[in-house]
Amino acid sequence: MSSSTETLQLNLGSLRSTMSLTLHTHHASRIWHGRAASDGKPAIVGLNGYVAVMNRMKRGAEQDDPYSDWWMLRIEEKLNTTKDQLHTLREQVDQALAGLPSALSVGENLNVQPVKLPLFISSQLGFMALYLLADYDELARKLILAHHTALIDRSTLERWLNEGAHALRSLFSLAQQYRYSGCSRDDFVSMNAAGRAAIEKFGTLPQDVLDGTRRSRFAPPVIRRSVSSSSPPRRSATAEPAPVSPDSEPEPPSEETSDDAGDSSAGEGGDE
């Protein structure tokens, strides 16, 4: 009986759930998709591009890359700042809507044909940005209603919509600067060629980030691969691997194991 139970447990796969996001405004939809470069205009990354970066960043942190940990901390801080900015805008809109007379009953402003987007997100920092986009969609609906009912003028409508959109795009733009270093903390302990090249290319890190004592609250456990004939050993503190080329931008290895059975999917971004 015990052998049968162990076999059953070993055959269990990862948990998955189907998720989707419903958007009611073109303003939020444009932020989701971003904009491709054309006619001399630079590309604007959307939420789906941001999510892809967050998934790579999470894998980099799993590989013990201290730069990925540092970027997770920076993104988490930027997420909190963006949340505060949207909260301030929402308070202003609510104050404007409070000007409706009590005798007037106004229902929620919803699109008769909203867009429903499937979600493939495997990082918590990706979900946090998703919540902010949902907040912005609600904010845009309220702003459009306030303008329609003559509580705010056109210039105020456009200014507040642009402020909210700029806050989100600033977050996505910051995420686009992330690069996986291709190194682990062992490379910095021994200060080998790979570690020296990474410092020259990406700069120095705070000591508490470098030694792993300060990580994002959503940082994944570091994957410790066992040495076997089928997989290469993890770099030792005395090893001298090939240096990281200043012109190369390595990608974090693909996930081989799942540390979080609650991830919605292993995909790298939402479909457009």
Side-chain angles (χ1 to χ4, degrees):
M1 178 65 71
S2 61
S3 176
S4 176
T5 302
E6 291 175 359
T7 302
L8 178 61
Q9 291 176 342
L10 290 175
N11 289 336
L12 285 173
S14 300
L15 295 175
R16 291 292 183 266
S17 61
T18 302
M19 295 186 180
S20 63
L21 174 67
T22 300
L23 297 177
H24 292 266
T25 67
H26 293 291
H27 309 280
S29 180
R30 284 195 293 267
I31 292 177
W32 169 277
H33 290 295
R35 184 186 69 192
S38 62
D39 300 330
K41 295 181 179 180
I44 298 178
V45 65
L47 178 69
N48 49 359
Y50 164 88
V51 166
V53 175
M54 291 303 102
N55 292 342
R56 294 199 301 270
M57 191 181 296
K58 181 180 178 181
R59 291 200 299 272
E62 286 177 339
Q63 303 301 318
D64 204 23
D65 171 27
Y67 287 98
S68 295
D69 274 329
W70 176 231
W71 269 103
M72 287 192 73
L73 287 166
R74 293 184 64 185
I75 294 298
E76 188 175 353
E77 181 181 358
K78 182 67 171 177
L79 281 162
N80 291 332
T81 300
T82 306
K83 183 178 181 179
D84 291 340
Q85 291 173 321
L86 292 179
H87 179 72
T88 299
L89 284 172
R90 187 162 57 249
E91 287 182 333
Q92 293 173 327
V93 176
D94 288 342
Q95 184 176 0
L97 287 172
L100 285 170
S102 58
L104 179 62
S105 177
V106 178
E108 193 172 359
N109 196 23
L110 298 175
N111 197 311
V112 295
Q113 191 175 349
V115 60
K116 191 172 184 179
L117 302 163
L119 300 178
F120 302 95
I121 303 176
S122 62
S123 65
Q124 288 80 7
L125 298 185
F127 275 108
M128 291 177 70
L130 178 72
Y131 303 151
L132 295 181
L133 178 60
D135 287 345
Y136 177 73
D137 187 55
E138 181 181 0
L139 174 69
R141 289 192 290 110
K142 288 185 175 182
L143 277 170
I144 293 170
L145 178 62
H147 175 259
H148 180 71
T149 53
L151 295 173
I152 60 174
D153 56 27
R154 168 63 64 176
S155 63
T156 302
L157 168 68
E158 293 178 349
R159 184 175 73 254
W160 285 353
L161 282 173
N162 289 335
E163 285 181 12
H166 176 75
L168 286 168
R169 287 176 175 144
S170 176
L171 166 66
F172 302 161
S173 178
L174 175 64
Q176 284 296 103
Q177 301 175 37
Y178 163 73
R179 295 294 183 272
Y180 174 62
S181 75
C183 298
S184 71
R185 285 182 170 83
D186 288 345
D187 297 314
F188 299 96
V189 171
S190 61
M191 197 49 66
N192 57 30
R196 293 193 300 270
I199 291 175
E200 181 178 351
K201 183 176 182 180
F202 301 111
T204 57
L205 290 170
Q207 187 59 42
D208 55 353
V209 175
L210 188 59
D211 60 26
T213 57
R214 180 161 68 100
R215 304 182 76 202
S216 166
R217 59 196 176 112
F218 294 114
V222 174
I223 296 176
R224 304 291 183 181
R225 291 186 172 84
S226 59
V227 178
S228 65
S229 57
S230 60
S231 61
R234 192 169 182 266
R235 284 195 288 264
S236 66
T238 58
E240 188 75 9
V244 177
S245 170
D247 298 324
S248 65
E249 293 179 355
E251 288 294 319
S254 298
E255 292 181 76
E256 296 180 2
T257 59
S258 174
D259 65 280
D260 187 353
D263 283 352
S264 66
S265 173
E268 289 195 348
D271 295 338
E272 293 193 10

